[in-house]
């Protein structure tokens, strides 16, 4: 069994909670209120800016040219494809330019990624980044199979269920396995812990959008 297969098996309950979350259930049905989707898209744009920074950090720490190029390509994909998706919905739904303030869950997630990629091991950094790729692909495929006709969120669904995004995920999984092949058992356990933490934060991100999460008043 590949190491990444053991990672995925460790988040079965988390993944089931994600696909059964009302945000994704209603997104699949096309009934998710636009206000909640707009909140999600604004926060996702803020998230992706820091995610790209975390990828750049990993590129700087890469032990070989092949890995360095992979991280550069991942960052390019974020900039080109996912930001194009945001721009499309911002225009179509009349969503305002993203606020500069991250929600509490977005703040927790991005700071976890930035801290892990900068201050923890290279192995842990890769494992922390992987759920953003992998979980989104699986959620995209799941929703694609049951999406209601004329779904207003079809472009979102098609992006994450699409071949291009799927190829990025395959490369991220392969890179993680390659890194794990040279990791000690202790390093693998830390990779697993980072992967689980990011997966939990993925659930929190969707949940925060559904609740229109805000900071407590100062």
């Amino acid at each position: 069994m590949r190491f990444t297969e053991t990672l995925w098996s460790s988040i079965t309950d988390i993944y089931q909670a994600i696909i059964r979350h009302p945000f994704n259930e209603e997104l699949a049905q096309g009934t998710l209120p636009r206000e909640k989707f707009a909140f999600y898209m604004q926060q996702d744009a803020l998230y992706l800016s820091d995610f790209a920074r975390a990828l750049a950090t990993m590129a700087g720490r890469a032990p070989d040219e092949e890995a360095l190029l992979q991280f550069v390509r991942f960052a390019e994909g974020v900039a080109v494809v996912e930001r194009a998706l945001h721009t499309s919905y911002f225009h179509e739904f009349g969503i305002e330019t993203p606020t500069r303030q991250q929600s509490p869950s977005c703040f927790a997630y991005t700071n976890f990624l930035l801290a892990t990629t900068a201050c923890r091991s290279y192995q842990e950094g890769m494992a922390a980044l992987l759920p953003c790729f992998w979980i989104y692909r699986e959620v995209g495929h799941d929703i694609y199979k049951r999406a209601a006709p004329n779904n207003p969120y079809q472009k979102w669904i098609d992006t994450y269920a699409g071949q291009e995004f799927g190829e990025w995920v395959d490369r991220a999984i392969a890179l993680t396995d390659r890194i794990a092949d040279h990791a000690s058992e202790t390093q693998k356990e830390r990779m697993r812990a980072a992967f689980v933490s990011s997966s939990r934060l993925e659930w929190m991100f969707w949940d925060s959008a559904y609740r229109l999460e805000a900071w407590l008043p100062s």
Side-chain angles (χ1 to χ4, degrees):
M1 179 181 288
R2 294 181 304 168
F3 177 70
T4 51
E5 291 174 332
T6 71
L7 290 182
W8 189 260
S9 67
S10 70
I11 64 159
T12 300
D13 291 344
I14 300 170
Y15 174 68
Q16 290 300 317
I18 288 171
I19 61 173
R20 292 172 183 167
H21 193 282
F23 185 98
N24 287 319
E25 291 285 0
E26 293 175 17
L27 191 149
Q29 296 161 10
T31 59
L32 181 69
R34 285 195 173 194
E35 179 188 18
K36 295 183 179 182
F37 187 74
F39 181 97
Y40 161 81
M41 291 296 282
Q42 288 178 317
Q43 291 298 314
D44 197 43
L46 295 173
Y47 168 89
L48 288 175
S49 292
D50 281 345
F51 186 68
R53 291 185 179 93
L55 289 168
T57 298
M58 289 294 288
R61 300 182 68 185
D64 55 64
E65 185 176 350
E66 181 181 354
L68 186 155
L69 289 174
Q70 285 282 30
F71 285 115
V72 170
R73 291 179 184 128
F74 291 151
E76 181 182 24
V78 167
V80 174
V81 176
E82 296 192 75
R83 285 185 180 172
L85 177 68
H86 289 128
T87 300
S88 174
Y89 273 114
F90 289 162
H91 176 74
E92 181 180 345
F93 284 12
I95 300 172
E96 295 180 3
T97 302
T99 174
R100 291 182 179 273
Q101 185 176 48
Q102 295 177 328
S103 69
S105 292
C106 182
F107 178 85
Y109 194 1
T110 60
N111 277 270
F112 172 73
L113 293 179
L114 291 168
T116 302
T117 55
C119 302
R120 305 292 292 184
S121 69
Y122 175 72
Q123 293 87 352
E124 289 171 84
M126 183 68 243
L129 292 170
L130 185 58
C132 184
F133 291 100
W134 202 350
I135 289 177
Y136 262 71
R137 180 178 70 178
E138 300 309 313
V139 169
H141 285 168
D142 177 79
I143 293 177
Y144 182 86
K145 291 183 291 187
R146 57 192 177 95
N150 302 314
N151 195 309
Y153 307 118
Q154 193 64 49
K155 280 185 290 198
W156 186 98
I157 298 166
D158 290 344
T159 294
Y160 293 110
Q163 181 179 349
E164 184 177 7
F165 186 75
E167 289 172 353
W168 294 347
V169 178
D170 286 339
R171 289 194 289 268
I173 291 171
L175 180 56
T176 305
D177 278 322
R178 184 156 67 89
I179 291 170
D181 284 343
H182 303 284
S184 68
E185 288 306 312
T186 298
Q187 288 171 327
K188 288 179 183 178
E189 283 305 309
R190 290 174 178 168
M191 290 176 74
R192 186 172 289 106
F195 184 82
V196 170
S197 292
S198 280
S199 299
R200 288 171 174 155
L201 287 160
E202 284 285 341
W203 180 89
M204 289 175 61
F205 192 89
W206 270 302
D207 184 65
S208 71
Y210 195 74
R211 293 185 293 106
L212 303 176
E213 182 186 44
W215 293 94
L216 292 174
S218 58

